[in-house]
Amino acid sequence: MQDDTREQLLESATRLFAAKGFYGASLAGIADELGLTKQALLHHFGKKEKLYAEVLSRISDRMLECVEAARSAHDAPADQLLEALQGIYALSSEAPHETRILVRELLDSERRASEVRSWYLKPFLDALVGITRDIAGKKNLGNTEALSRIYPLLGAMSYFVVSDVVLRQMYGKANYTRMQRRFPEEIREQVEALAASLA
Amino acid sequence: MQDDTREQLLESATRLFAAKGFYGASLAGIADELGLTKQALLHHFGKKEKLYAEVLSRISDRMLECVEAARSAHDAPADQLLEALQGIYALSSEAPHETRILVRELLDSERRASEVRSWYLKPFLDALVGITRDIAGKKNLGNTEALSRIYPLLGAMSYFVVSDVVLRQMYGKANYTRMQRRFPEEIREQVEALAASLA
DNA sequence: ACCCTGACTTACCGATCGGTAAGTTCATGG
DNA sequence: CCATGAACTTACCGATCGGTAAGTCAGGGT
């Protein structure tokens, strides 16, 4: 039953880390959302860093899961890639908080690097690289080349998801919704072009 | 001569805002880089918000300049778009700090929105949308549709530039350099595909 | 000689940060 | 019936934050 509190604390933390970043989000602020004190938070997680690490690993787990589900759902690597990327988009589109945290992780990596290795994204990236190399098939595509091909796609997705607030402010909610609905189609076109250029 | 101090303060501020974000970068830290006190900083800029605003507008000015230079350098809109995007990539690739700040602006917009309207990017985006609509020519392309086409490109660029530290850590400096060199070609392919699909 | 203005300093303020210490409350199981 | 441990609380700590107040000090115009 009291695991529930822990769960809720993790959700508050996810929301606030996404909105304000690691240093901007305060323990007191996170705990306040549930009417608790920051010491309750520290009781469950010990240190702010540990709370953050748990939030981060939970997000990257979900991402990796999504790619592996796509892998086992299809035989053709091109289909796997399409399903994986559209799945990730669906995931991060309905939970933009998590995407925001991952992008923040890119920005803060310079400082965090000394404290904690933060390669939470690596298994996820490697899985995508694997699929891409499968598409290329026998003509041996290097890791770096494969990464060069999918990284722009990933970047376009993350950047768009993370731009939701600003785009809505600048061009209106209706226009953003239209872009949002169109986006999976944009992904499909890109993936098909990529598969065609590799096959 | 003492304008020089102001200039150097702006550069320190840009570097630290990029590395730590608005709330993570302290006035004392920025001033320390020049061996000054935070009060010297406040003497020049009054408030932290004003310092930040100046940093931001200086960046967006440079971006907009780049697009307009591309506009007047070519006749064909497709050439304009290619030059504009490759110019922006060159710009943000050699000054990743500034790109980091712009991406942070996307992430922090939720809170800042109440304090300051931060649409520094809007003129820049509108200029790109204008070029894109020119490419479509007489078949009237809506603003939203044009934006939907170029935003992924912009996202891919920004995301890649901002990933420099992490990618270097994960895949090695040599591999990142290879990706970096390849990237303008990636942009060219994307722009040509876009122009072809619009013409 | 005078003062003024711009560039800076030291000194200080209240607020807030992450974290520690020492309880209190309460359900559970021997 | 009571001991134990988990789930919290209040109280406090030193550090750091942005910002204010009041000076110091050099150079230039009158």
Side-chain angles (χ1 to χ4, degrees), chain B residues 96-170:
Chain B
H97 300 313
E98 312 193 342
T99 309
R100 293 179 114 78
I101 290 184
L102 292 179
V103 174
R104 281 192 193 277
E105 198 58 16
L106 292 178
L107 293 167
D108 293 339
S109 58
E110 219 155 352
R111 268 187 319 159
R112 301 191 91 49
S114 50
E115 306 164 3
V116 184
R117 281 265 185 273
S118 64
W119 298 352
Y120 292 89
L121 273 178
K122 185 138 198 315
F124 164 75
L125 276 179
D126 287 343
L128 283 179
V129 166
I131 298 181
T132 308
R133 297 187 66 175
D134 285 348
I135 295 180
K138 40 197 162 182
K139 36 187 206 175
N140 231 315
L141 191 66
N143 264 330
T144 309
E145 280 69 26
L147 189 59
S148 290
R149 300 305 191 104
I150 45 161
Y151 209 75
L153 261 165
L154 227 72
M157 276 175 37
S158 301
Y159 191 83
F160 176 65
V161 169
V162 143
S163 302
D164 56 352
V165 177
V166 167
L167 285 178
R168 256 194 291 260
Q169 282 177 359
M170 292 198 309

Side-chain angles (χ1 to χ4, degrees), chain B:
Chain B
M1 298 296 138
Q2 258 49 4
D3 268 357
D4 193 45
T5 301
R6 208 186 133 93
E7 201 67 21
Q8 287 183 319
L9 282 172
L10 276 171
E11 281 169 28
S12 290
T14 302
R15 206 169 19 236
L16 281 178
F17 280 141
K20 311 191 178 188
F22 179 79
Y23 295 94
S26 70
L27 297 179
I30 294 169
D32 258 3
E33 289 207 342
L34 305 186
L36 296 177
T37 63
K38 65 175 170 178
Q39 286 74 11
L41 232 187
L42 287 170
H43 169 71
H44 284 286
F45 299 96
K47 301 214 149 210
K48 194 185 190 183
E49 281 285 356
K50 279 204 65 177
L51 167 63
Y52 184 75
E54 204 149 328
V55 167
L56 213 57
S57 84
R58 158 181 293 235
I59 294 173
S60 61
D61 280 356
R62 201 154 356 169
M63 292 268 174
L64 185 56
E65 237 172 61
C66 181
V67 175
E68 275 164 0
R71 263 212 116 141
S72 58
H74 300 284
D75 285 338
D79 293 338
Q80 293 175 0
L81 187 62
L82 180 61
E83 176 137 343
L85 289 177
Q86 285 189 337
I88 291 163
Y89 175 70
L91 201 73
S92 52
S93 182
E94 64 193 43
H97 300 313
E98 312 193 342
T99 309
R100 293 179 114 78
I101 290 184
L102 292 179
V103 174
R104 281 192 193 277
E105 198 58 16
L106 292 178
L107 293 167
D108 293 339
S109 58
E110 219 155 352
R111 268 187 319 159
R112 301 191 91 49
S114 50
E115 306 164 3
V116 184
R117 281 265 185 273
S118 64
W119 298 352
Y120 292 89
L121 273 178
K122 185 138 198 315
F124 164 75
L125 276 179
D126 287 343
L128 283 179
V129 166
I131 298 181
T132 308
R133 297 187 66 175
D134 285 348
I135 295 180
K138 40 197 162 182
K139 36 187 206 175
N140 231 315
L141 191 66
N143 264 330
T144 309
E145 280 69 26
L147 189 59
S148 290
R149 300 305 191 104
I150 45 161
Y151 209 75
L153 261 165
L154 227 72
M157 276 175 37
S158 301
Y159 191 83
F160 176 65
V161 169
V162 143
S163 302
D164 56 352
V165 177
V166 167
L167 285 178
R168 256 194 291 260
Q169 282 177 359
M170 292 198 309
Y171 295 99
K173 194 190 284 193
N175 282 327
Y176 177 72
T177 308
R178 244 157 78 204
M179 290 179 71
Q180 209 171 10
R181 254 198 295 271
R182 185 207 182 83
F183 206 83
E185 186 54 35
E186 206 83 33
I187 295 177
R188 149 169 270 122
E189 287 173 16
Q190 296 286 334
V191 170
E192 278 168 2
L194 176 59
S197 91
L198 285 180

Side-chain angles (χ1 to χ4, degrees), chain A residues 135-147:
Chain A
I135 294 181
K138 39 198 163 182
K139 35 186 202 176
N140 232 317
L141 190 68
N143 264 330
T144 308
E145 280 69 26
L147 189 59

Side-chain angles (χ1 to χ4, degrees), chain A residues 2 5 35-40 43-44:
Chain A
Q2 258 50 6
T5 299
L36 297 176
T37 64
K38 66 175 169 178
Q39 287 73 11
H43 169 70
H44 285 285

Side-chain angles (χ1 to χ4, degrees), chain A residues 137-184:
Chain A
K138 39 198 163 182
K139 35 186 202 176
N140 232 317
L141 190 68
N143 264 330
T144 308
E145 280 69 26
L147 189 59
S148 290
R149 301 305 191 104
I150 45 161
Y151 209 74
L153 261 166
L154 227 71
M157 274 176 39
S158 301
Y159 192 82
F160 176 64
V161 169
V162 143
S163 303
D164 55 352
V165 177
V166 167
L167 285 178
R168 257 194 289 260
Q169 281 176 0
M170 291 197 311
Y171 295 99
K173 193 189 283 192
N175 282 327
Y176 178 72
T177 308
R178 243 159 79 204
M179 291 179 71
Q180 209 171 10
R181 254 199 293 271
R182 184 205 184 84
F183 207 82

